[in-house]
Amino acid sequence: MTRHLSAEQWADTLIDCGVRTSTADDWAEPFANVMSALHWSDARDLPNFLAQVLHESGMLQRLEEGLSYSAERLTQVWPRRFPTLASAMPYARNPRALANRVYGGRMGNSAPDEGWRYRGRGLIQITGRDNYALAEQLTGMRLLDVPELLCEPEPALIASAAWWEHSVPDTALGDVRRVTRYVNGGDNGLAHRQQLTERAIEALQSWEPA
């Protein structure tokens, strides 16, 4: 079951997981509002969800994809798209051009500039027009028209929780590697996600009834 914690309890929980105190204070009320409205039946959902969104958002510090890379870094992140430094140079420290280059023409992006318009946002970095459309369908929020909503704490939480319920099966819960692959598509940051999951379980257990 989803725990109905107060804002103060959420602030303490986030701090126990390693979130900065000032950041935890900013996010405590959105967590209290959004999570109290959920009805997840599996008790493992909440700590797994919390760990994943904390990792993906840089401990709640980042709600928009950073796309300002050096040319050298571009060849490492997207080696097939940028096999040489020369091919990467036009996109180095050029986030808009880079987003349109790497996301244009896929994930539902077809119109000019949609790679940039529907770049990664939110706690689980929703990316591409198709994924924004899915999040809009799941939440009722006007994300196709106002994608910047995912940079606001409460809408970001609502969208991430809806995506989680839709996309992460209960059979994966308890296996951090499997959960990570649903969220990230690979094993990126697995050790940190495992650590966060353990910390989230411990922090949330402190609010169990005696």
Side-chain angles (χ1 to χ4, degrees):
M1 295 175 61
T2 306
R3 293 171 178 82
H4 293 177
L5 305 183
S6 67
E8 292 78 9
Q9 289 172 321
W10 267 112
D12 288 343
T13 298
L14 294 172
I15 291 168
D16 286 346
C17 289
V19 176
R20 294 177 184 173
T21 299
S22 59
T23 303
D25 289 342
D26 290 341
W27 279 85
E29 189 169 342
F31 266 94
N33 292 341
V34 174
M35 307 314 287
S36 65
L38 301 179
H39 301 285
W40 289 338
S41 59
D42 195 310
R44 298 172 299 174
D45 267 304
L46 187 54
N48 278 265
F49 171 79
L50 181 57
Q52 293 290 332
V53 298
L54 290 180
H55 178 86
E56 289 287 323
S57 65
M59 305 303 285
L60 304 179
Q61 295 291 317
R62 182 182 63 249
L63 290 179
E64 188 170 71
E65 183 178 14
L67 289 166
S68 182
Y69 294 95
S70 67
E72 182 178 8
R73 183 60 178 154
L74 287 174
T75 64
Q76 297 167 354
V77 177
W78 287 286
R80 287 189 295 177
R81 292 182 180 273
F82 306 113
T84 65
L85 284 175
S87 65
M89 284 299 295
Y91 304 95
R93 309 300 180 195
N94 191 344
R96 189 176 204 132
L98 176 60
N100 286 320
R101 172 72 175 86
V102 298
Y103 298 141
R106 65 191 188 96
M107 297 185 291
N109 298 328
S110 56
D113 212 37
E114 283 193 338
W116 172 250
R117 179 173 177 79
Y118 299 117
R119 62 192 180 276
R121 293 190 184 91
L123 290 168
I124 303 186
Q125 294 293 289
I126 292 172
T127 308
R129 194 181 197 283
D130 283 348
N131 287 315
Y132 275 76
L134 172 62
E136 178 171 291
Q137 178 185 345
L138 293 173
T139 65
M141 294 188 292
R142 296 176 55 245
L143 298 177
L144 289 173
D145 290 338
V146 193
E148 297 83 6
L149 280 173
L150 289 177
C151 292
E152 299 176 15
E154 200 154 315
L157 259 178
I158 291 169
S160 296
W163 179 89
W164 179 275
E165 188 170 11
H166 176 271
S167 304
V168 180
D170 287 349
T171 54
L173 300 176
D175 184 334
V176 177
R177 185 184 298 273
R178 284 189 65 196
V179 172
T180 297
R181 288 178 175 174
Y182 278 102
V183 172
N184 183 262
D187 294 339
N188 179 52
L190 183 61
H192 186 234
R193 295 172 201 264
Q194 179 70 58
Q195 180 188 57
L196 285 172
T197 302
E198 293 167 0
R199 293 183 73 168
I201 290 171
E202 183 176 354
L204 290 165
Q205 282 178 340
S206 68
W207 306 117
E208 293 282 2

